[in-house]
Every structure is written in C-alpha cells, then in structure tokens.
Amino acid sequence: MTYISDYRTAAELTGIARAAFEVAFQADPLAAYFPAVEANSRVFSLDQVAGIANATATRLVGYNTTAPRGVEGPAAQRITGRVVKTAESRHADEMSLVSTPSPSEIAAWQETQARALGASIANRLRIMVSELLTTGSLDISETGVEQVLNFNVPAANTVTLTGGQRWTQAGANPVENVRQWRDLTGGAGQMFVSSATLASLARNGAIIQAALRRGTDLPTSVSAADVLSVFAEDNVKVNVLDSRTNTVVDYSGVVRSLIPENTILILPDAAAMLGGPSSIGYTHLAPTLESENPKYGISAGERPGVFCAGAHHEDPEGYAVRAVGELIPLLKAPAALVTAKVA
C-alpha cells in the first residue's frame, strides 16, 4: 500500500481519529481513573504509591545507648516496561467499488473509517483498563510475547466471597463487607456494580431491613433507589454499569463484559488517591513510529497519540485507512482499590 494525501492528509485523519478515540474512551465510567498522559517515549517508568500502613512509634531506650534501627513502612515500587501496540485497517476494494468513487466520496469514506478506528482503539484500551482493575495485571500475550505485567495489588485487596457470604445468599451482609473493604483502601467511597449485582442487592435481607428500618414484615425486595440510599448513608456512592456501558465486542467478535456481573470494584474518587490529588493511575500515550515518520507531516508536538492515514493499493485496486496506537494503562496506587467476586 502507498500513502496518499490527495483526499485527506495523515494529519487530518489523525485529528479525526483522536477525537473519536477521546469521545469513546471518556464515555466509559472508569476512564476518569486512567486519564491519557502524552509522553515522548514508548518506554514507561512508573513509581507506584505505597499503601496505607499502621502508625508506628519509637521505643524507650537507656541514656548513652545506640539508637535501635527502625523498621520502614511499606515501600513504593517502580515498574518499567514498554507500551503495547494496537492497529487495524479498513479497506474498500474491487468488490465494494461498484463504480469509480469521486474524490469527495473517497474523502468522506476515509473520515468515516478514521472515526470508527479511533473508537475501536479506545475500546481496546477500555478492555485493558477493566482487566487491570479486576485482576491487578495485564496479559499482553496477544502481542505474540508471552508476558503478564503485574501491578502489585495486595492479596488482601482481591476478595472472593464463598458460601453464605455471597451476596445472592439470604444471610449475606453487603454493607458490612463494603465497610471492611473500604478500610483496606483508606476509605474509598466509589462502588461499581453490574445491573445484575444491583438486582441481587435489592433482594438482600440486610439491605431491605436497613432501607425500611425494621426487622419484620419485610417485602422480598426494595427499589434500586433504596439500595443506593443504604450505601449512601455510609458515604459510598454506587455506580451501576449497565449492559451498554459494560460490554465491548473484541476483535474476534466475542462480546466481553468489562466488569464481570459477579464482581464489584471499590475505588476512591477519581480525583483523589493515596499521596495526593490525582487519579489512581493514568494511560501512557506514546508516539507511534508512523507519527515520527516525516512523510506523514505530523509535527513533533503532536506525535503522541493515535495515528491514522489513508493509502492506495493496486492489486486488487482499492483504498485503505489504517490507524495505530501505542499506549498502556498504568496503576499507580495498587492498594487504593478492592476487587471482590460477590456471587
């Protein structure tokens, strides 16, 4: 394929793809936790924030004695690595070109494909964000390299309820569970649940009693608003991930739930984390090799981010639009969240 700028330049298609990328990513309720940060390198170095530790004290010692050596609290860790690459192209060839398109038709087709590709790259990032939050790691074996990046989430912050503790069981106490999990994070106040989990909470006995403020003569369920109100009394905001915002069709055509229906997330406010006013992570947005190639005309300051360009091919005759992204979501505060399988 040969790069063509006759209809839309690479700079124009790149701008269109980036706008679509941003819109699609920001529509995800979890995107605020991993804002895009443009960088000039495809290599990242992440200094993680240490988790909350119990307060410590010195000991009493005798005069004229050497001070004992103290024990340091939990240490922050540094993770280094390379971003991952995602790419896709869309084609119009002899089978679809039933008549010779006009220049304006080719330009319009290129713009449409640029928007679709920008959104698709954003959706791949959304899959990575959900994987990172639910597992504490990223499996990048899809790239052909058998590797899993581990982001040091404490074992205690990944919970699986069993038996009668599961929220689908009559004796479960979700409010008490959430209180304990919030303590692990230092008081995170955002809970993300699926619509299925919200429905089970509405049928939970402890929730019904708390909502109605009585222990007898209880209905079999309460409203979704009642559930939200019960947790709000504990300063926990319940965010419901419906099927539209919680599913993505991956490249193989499989419909994926970003956050499994039986899993909840406990997170801090997106603008506050351990150690300062920031998110718990960010997305390292790197320049692509294409954006650094002078022939595409992308200025130095605009190179980080999604790249998109049009091309022409002759065998078979047709046109193509290709988009590339080099990026990775990074978890800065691994102890600031809890992932729990509740059913």
Side-chain angles (χ1 to χ4, degrees):
M1 293 189 296
T2 304
Y3 166 57
I4 53 174
S5 58
D6 306 56
Y7 312 104
R8 290 291 182 266
T9 66
E12 290 172 323
L13 293 178
T14 291
I16 292 170
R18 288 181 180 180
F21 170 87
E22 183 175 352
V23 169
F25 186 55
Q26 292 303 323
D28 191 307
L30 298 172
Y33 291 95
F34 294 89
V37 176
E38 295 182 354
N40 290 319
S41 173
R42 286 179 284 277
V43 175
F44 66 84
S45 180
L46 173 68
D47 288 319
Q48 292 187 304
V49 178
I52 292 175
N54 292 329
T56 61
T58 61
R59 62 174 294 182
L60 300 179
V61 298
Y63 290 100
N64 297 323
T65 61
T66 301
R69 183 171 180 174
V71 178
E72 296 183 0
Q77 301 190 58
R78 172 173 290 182
I79 300 175
T80 59
R82 184 185 175 98
V83 299
V84 294
K85 177 180 177 180
T86 183
E88 186 175 324
S89 61
R90 302 285 177 89
H91 294 253
D93 53 28
E94 291 175 338
M95 285 297 293
S96 55
L97 295 174
V98 294
S99 62
T100 302
S102 67
S104 62
E105 288 173 330
I106 297 174
W109 178 81
Q110 288 181 333
E111 291 180 3
T112 298
Q113 304 315 310
R115 292 188 190 94
L117 290 169
S120 291
I121 291 176
N123 288 331
R124 189 61 186 88
L125 174 59
R126 293 174 62 204
I127 291 174
M128 287 192 284
V129 165
S130 66
E131 180 184 352
L132 180 52
L133 288 173
T134 55
T135 70
S137 61
L138 285 176
D139 185 345
I140 61 171
S141 59
E142 188 177 328
T143 64
V145 178
E146 294 296 329
Q147 184 177 355
V148 175
L149 299 177
N150 190 316
F151 286 89
N152 304 310
V153 174
N157 291 46
T158 301
V159 180
T160 299
L161 297 181
T162 59
Q165 294 180 324
R166 290 177 297 175
W167 287 5
T168 51
Q169 302 302 304
N173 193 334
V175 173
E176 185 57 34
N177 291 150
V178 172
R179 287 173 181 163
Q180 295 172 2
W181 298 334
R182 291 184 70 203
D183 285 345
L184 293 174
T185 69
Q190 300 287 330
M191 181 166 72
F192 292 82
V193 306
S194 68
S195 53
T197 295
L198 179 67
S200 67
L201 286 171
R203 297 188 295 268
N204 175 264
I207 295 289
I208 295 171
Q209 290 184 36
L212 301 180
R213 302 186 185 280
R214 64 176 187 264
T216 60
D217 191 26
L218 298 172
T220 56
S221 67
V222 290
S223 69
D226 288 329
V227 176
L228 271 57
S229 177
V230 168
F231 284 100
E233 291 183 4
D234 264 15
N235 295 318
V236 175
K237 183 178 186 301
V238 179
N239 304 274
V240 183
L241 302 171
D242 60 31
S243 58
R244 182 183 61 83
T245 58
N246 195 38
T247 55
V248 168
V249 180
D250 67 18
Y251 184 77
S252 63
V254 175
V255 178
R256 298 178 58 157
S257 294
L258 298 179
I259 306 300
E261 287 194 347
N262 66 341
T263 299
I264 72 159
L265 297 174
I266 305 292
L267 294 168
D269 291 341
M273 73 157 199
L274 300 173
S278 178
S279 66
I280 66 170
Y282 62 94
T283 297
H284 181 112
L285 206 56
T288 66
L289 286 170
E290 292 83 357
S291 67
E292 293 176 335
N293 188 328
K295 77 176 182 179
Y296 292 114
I298 308 297
S299 64
E302 296 294 326
R303 287 172 183 167
V306 174
F307 169 85
C308 188
H312 175 252
H313 50 86
E314 296 178 344
D315 188 16
E317 181 71 22
Y319 300 92
V321 174
R322 179 173 176 267
V324 183
E326 297 197 47
L327 42 74
I328 194 167
L330 299 172
L331 182 61
K332 188 173 183 179
L337 64 97
V338 166
T339 301
K341 292 182 179 180
V342 297

